Amino acid sequence: MDAAGSASVTTESSTADLLIAFGTTTGTARDVAHRIAREAYSFTIENSYTHYFRPRVLSMKEISVNYLISNWVDKNAKVIFVVSTTGQGEFPDDTKELWRELCGKSVPAVPIRFAAIGLGDSSYEMYNYPAKKLHNRLKQLSAISPFEVCLCDDQHDCGYAGALNPYLERCWRAWVPENCTTNPESVPVARYNLLSLTASTDECNNQPRPTCDKLERRMMIRNERVTNSEHFQDTRLIAFDTTNSNLIFQAGDVLQVFAENFPDNIQNFFELYPQLRDQPPFYLVSDPNMRWVSIPVELYELCGPQPWTWETIVTKILDFQSIPGVYAFQILRNFATDPLIKEKFDEYCRPEGLDDLYNYTNRPRRTILEVLLDFRNTAVLVPPNYLFELIPFMRPRAFSIASPPCETQHIEILVAVVEYTTNLKTRRRGTCSHWLAEYCQIGQKVGVFCEKGSLRPPPNDAHVIMIGPGTGVAPFRSMIKQNLDKWDKHLFFGCRNKDMDFYFGHEFNEMVDKGQLSFYPAFSRDSAGRKLEYVQDLIVKEPNLFRNMMASPLPIYIYVCGRAGEMPKDVRIAVKAVFEKAGICDTEAFLKSMIQRGYYQTETY
């Protein structure tokens, strides 16, 4: 397809147009779409320098049914949809318009050849629903796909790559002719080039100057530890000033926060690449032959206009805490001069070597910076523009908003500082939580934006049951404070000790005294020899509460928020038990009906 977007007639022996359309909220689907385009671009026609695929990457908000029919029905054109899951199995905002169009009564046939990839989390009930629905609807509209939908799972040991890698291999086997190959000995083309200040002004001026409307840099005005100083868990109540801000949110939404790299990581990087520290500012530009590559617009808000220095890039752009995948070792392999090191990288890049790669990277949570330091002699041979292939851009981290929208001068989040050790016996630190707690100073501006959360408050009066152990209570504080005089509200909260990590306990008790809330706290380590008690145990003790609600004309909404794993499952078992005592025969069917209607909502992390 040319720059104007018109389709070209192709044959199996020439080239093929490939559209990768993504729907995303935080940028993960966009990153996956770019990775697919990069992989597709690596196929070349035998005995030539011609790339078989001509990839194009677009957000789903940029395409329509008519666009697909007009440009991508050619028999050799392919479309790959990459769609993330948000809310309770919902489409991301940038995908909803296309989905509504596809579901229209008069929508024509869309006979494209396609594949669908979903990004989701199997700890949620409606796991990868958007991708499943999109796949099925396209096939109803005469679209052709030889594959089932790819269901990527955050819970997989290797993250989304666990399902994506073998799926893409099937796609390429089906779609790439035999006369096309990838050369394992060739160095992949770098997506970005570094232009000096003396470079052609046309090259620099042709780079886009995008703006990011949703992202703002807001000042931190509070950073208070809310757990006892003797408690092992450091949890902070952090607030950002929102005076004269355009940030808009509802109770149940999340705040996406951009962190910066830790000072010791920055120092280690420059010790590895000392020649970069004092280099003059430069322009980071995308390779003009890779039409799908661009610089994320949020970087211009975080770093200001180009040119940038390496100090800025190392501090704000590159994510040294990321866990490297196969592609990073493919890049390193091409610059390795030691045969034994090259052989080691080859092992990591083969399908049969994924277990070894997992044991080296994912299991100990080994970061890309640690990998570069482990293979220092190879790392120093990597050209500067290839560092952007090895190290991904910093992505935001999501935190449930703990303050209500009616408090317009600030936004508060409850942050449990992540710190643990692995089998490497080295301290692991959460990229954003640790940076916010230890390195971000009061008065410092931080890049943030608001995003719809998974939890949707009831539109009208209702019985509302909120179940939030630990920091899972944060969105419920927002919901409760925003609706003090609404709903019949019941909060089940769990923590270890009343005197150690009883988040917002005094606030909730004051609400109880004023008749604004029913509160059920469980302190699992204050049992004094008794059986440990958790939130699910409190739920089972309240069959009359549920029985009375069932007898009421008001709807019942149940919200569960907290860590993924056993807690959501145990809570679900407890809820089914009290529903059974309330007279529900088929509790599983009843609960599934509640989930489908939005009356039972879960947010886990």
Side-chain angles (χ1 to χ4, degrees):
M1 195 171 73
D2 58 28
S6 60
S8 60
V9 178
T10 61
T11 65
E12 288 299 326
S13 60
S14 58
T15 58
D17 290 320
L18 174 66
L19 170 66
I20 303 117
F22 65 87
T24 189
T25 298
T26 63
T28 303
R30 178 187 63 197
D31 294 345
V32 171
H34 282 208
R35 174 254 165 101
I36 295 171
R38 181 185 69 225
E39 193 167 314
Y41 191 70
S42 68
F43 289 98
T44 55
I45 299 174
E46 204 168 47
N47 300 322
S48 78
Y49 294 101
T50 305
H51 296 275
Y52 175 67
F53 282 115
R54 295 182 292 188
R56 184 174 178 83
V57 176
L58 292 175
S59 166
M60 289 195 199
K61 68 182 178 183
E62 300 178 80
I63 65 178
S64 63
V65 169
N66 183 61
Y67 173 79
L68 292 173
I69 295 172
S70 301
N71 297 285
W72 300 95
V73 175
D74 180 272
K75 69 182 181 68
N76 208 29
K78 309 294 189 294
V79 182
I80 298 178
F81 296 94
V82 184
V83 58
S84 62
T85 310
T86 188
Q88 301 296 313
E90 301 167 22
F91 282 92
D93 285 346
D94 61 358
T95 311
K96 289 179 179 177
E97 184 59 36
L98 176 63
W99 176 244
R100 280 193 291 266
E101 194 177 356
L102 287 169
C103 293
K105 292 183 179 179
S106 58
V107 63
V110 188
I112 58 174
R113 286 165 170 78
F114 81 101
I117 297 170
L119 305 179
D121 186 324
S122 58
S123 66
Y124 284 81
E125 181 74 22
M126 297 186 177
Y127 168 54
N128 268 322
Y129 265 38
K132 295 175 184 176
K133 291 193 287 189
L134 180 65
H135 181 271
N136 293 337
R137 181 56 178 162
L138 285 169
K139 297 199 77 169
Q140 290 173 355
L141 296 173
S142 303
I144 302 166
S145 178
F147 322 105
E148 294 299 319
V149 61
C150 175
L151 305 178
C152 298
D153 185 6
D154 280 349
Q155 298 298 319
H156 192 283
D157 287 340
C158 296
Y160 67 74
L164 181 65
N165 290 355
Y167 186 82
L168 288 178
E169 289 178 11
R170 292 196 296 272
C171 288
W172 306 144
R173 283 199 300 269
W175 285 350
V176 178
E178 292 183 358
N179 69 326
C180 294
T181 59
T182 57
N183 183 358
E185 298 300 322
S186 65
V187 181
V189 179
R191 292 171 296 165
Y192 299 101
N193 297 314
L194 312 183
L195 299 183
S196 69
L197 295 179
T198 58
S200 165
T201 55
D202 288 340
E203 289 181 277
C204 299
N205 291 335
N206 285 338
Q207 293 303 308
R209 299 292 191 271
T211 58
C212 187
D213 295 334
K214 66 180 182 180
L215 177 65
E216 295 186 9
R217 295 179 67 243
R218 308 307 306 180
M219 184 186 298
M220 177 187 280
I221 58 175
R222 185 178 184 182
N223 188 344
E224 176 189 350
R225 176 165 179 154
V226 292
T227 47
N228 191 293
S229 60
E230 297 179 1
H231 191 52
F232 76 95
Q233 176 66 68
D234 181 358
T235 302
R236 305 293 180 98
L237 182 62
I238 291 174
F240 299 100
D241 175 60
T242 54
T243 306
N244 299 321
S245 169
N246 293 318
L247 296 175
I248 299 174
F249 70 96
Q250 297 179 348
D253 286 350
V254 300
L255 189 71
Q256 295 281 355
V257 181
F258 280 92
E260 296 180 3
N261 279 306
F262 306 148
D264 56 336
N265 282 343
I266 295 172
Q267 179 179 343
N268 288 334
F269 177 86
F270 280 124
E271 287 178 357
L272 187 61
Y273 300 101
Q275 73 278 13
L276 298 182
R277 184 185 289 275
D278 297 322
Q279 282 193 1
F282 58 88
Y283 290 90
L284 180 68
V285 300
S286 56
D287 187 309
N289 295 317
M290 299 184 184
R291 294 175 299 167
W292 70 89
V293 177
S294 62
I295 297 174
V297 295
E298 54 266 24
L299 297 186
Y300 289 91
E301 182 67 31
L302 295 171
C303 304
Q306 294 206 54
W308 293 326
T309 63
W310 274 105
E311 188 74 33
T312 295
I313 285 173
V314 167
T315 301
K316 298 184 178 183
I317 294 181
L318 298 179
D319 185 0
F320 295 143
Q321 294 277 109
S322 62
I323 309 300
V326 171
Y327 182 63
F329 291 94
Q330 290 173 342
I331 295 294
L332 286 170
R333 181 219 178 267
N334 286 288
F335 297 105
T337 56
D338 185 327
L340 293 179
I341 297 299
K342 191 182 287 282
E343 183 180 352
K344 171 60 69 176
F345 292 155
D346 280 338
E347 291 174 4
Y348 286 156
C349 295
R350 297 189 190 105
E352 58 269 24
L354 287 180
D355 285 343
D356 290 337
L357 178 61
Y358 173 79
N359 289 330
Y360 175 64
T361 56
N362 290 68
R363 186 180 297 278
R365 311 302 295 169
R366 197 185 305 267
T367 69
I368 181 60
L369 183 58
E370 289 173 327
V371 170
L372 295 178
L373 293 171
D374 281 353
F375 298 97
R376 180 183 298 266
N377 292 338
T378 298
V380 297
L381 301 176
V382 177
N385 61 324
Y386 275 88
L387 291 174
F388 296 93
E389 303 300 308
L390 286 171
I391 310 172
F393 290 149
M394 189 77 76
R395 291 180 49 231
R397 271 64 171 180
F399 299 92
S400 294
I401 297 175
S403 55
C406 59
E407 296 178 0
T408 59
Q409 302 304 305
H410 65 267
I411 289 181
E412 293 178 332
I413 55 176
L414 189 63
V415 178
V417 181
V418 177
E419 187 171 323
Y420 59 96
T421 58
T422 67
N423 57 4
L424 291 180
K425 306 302 181 185
T426 55
R427 187 170 57 132
R428 296 296 170 204
R429 300 167 293 177
T431 300
C432 196
S433 65
H434 191 82
W435 178 77
L436 284 171
E438 298 298 327
Y439 298 116
C440 188
Q441 304 298 316
I442 298 295
Q444 184 172 341
K445 289 188 175 181
V446 179
V448 299
F449 66 91
C450 295
E451 174 192 305
K452 286 184 179 178
S454 300
L455 306 178
R456 300 287 190 273
N460 302 305
D461 201 10
H463 300 292
V464 179
I465 296 174
M466 294 161 278
I467 304 162
T471 55
V473 77
F476 300 139
R477 178 180 184 249
S478 177
M479 291 169 60
I480 293 168
K481 295 184 75 171
Q482 183 68 16
N483 299 276
L484 283 175
D485 300 321
K486 289 176 59 178
W487 312 335
D488 170 37
K489 300 182 288 294
H490 302 264
L491 174 62
F492 290 82
F493 169 77
C495 66
R496 286 175 171 254
N497 308 98
K498 185 175 182 179
D499 297 327
M500 292 288 182
D501 55 345
F502 191 15
Y503 306 138
F504 312 123
H506 65 285
E507 294 183 13
F508 296 136
N509 284 325
E510 287 179 2
M511 295 174 191
V512 171
D513 293 340
K514 295 177 181 178
Q516 298 167 326
L517 176 71
S518 296
F519 187 36
Y520 310 83
F523 307 108
S524 62
R525 298 301 187 269
D526 286 347
S527 300
R530 302 189 305 275
K531 178 182 178 295
L532 298 182
E533 191 169 57
Y534 300 100
V535 286
Q536 59 265 28
D537 300 312
L538 298 183
I539 293 169
V540 173
K541 291 180 178 180
E542 300 295 335
N544 290 335
L545 173 65
F546 284 77
R547 188 178 292 111
N548 293 337
M549 290 181 180
M550 295 290 293
S552 166
L554 295 178
I556 302 172
Y557 282 78
I558 300 176
Y559 298 91
V560 183
C561 184
R563 286 195 173 277
E566 295 304 315
M567 185 277 294
K569 300 174 186 176
D570 292 340
V571 166
R572 181 171 177 147
I573 292 171
V575 169
K576 288 171 61 176
V578 291
F579 273 141
E580 184 176 5
K581 291 181 180 179
I584 302 298
C585 297
D586 190 343
T587 56
E588 182 64 24
F590 183 76
L591 203 57
K592 286 186 176 180
S593 175
M594 290 187 69
I595 292 170
Q596 292 170 355
R597 292 181 296 164
Y599 290 165
Y600 189 102
Q601 302 179 25
T602 303
E603 182 174 274
T604 58
Y605 45 85

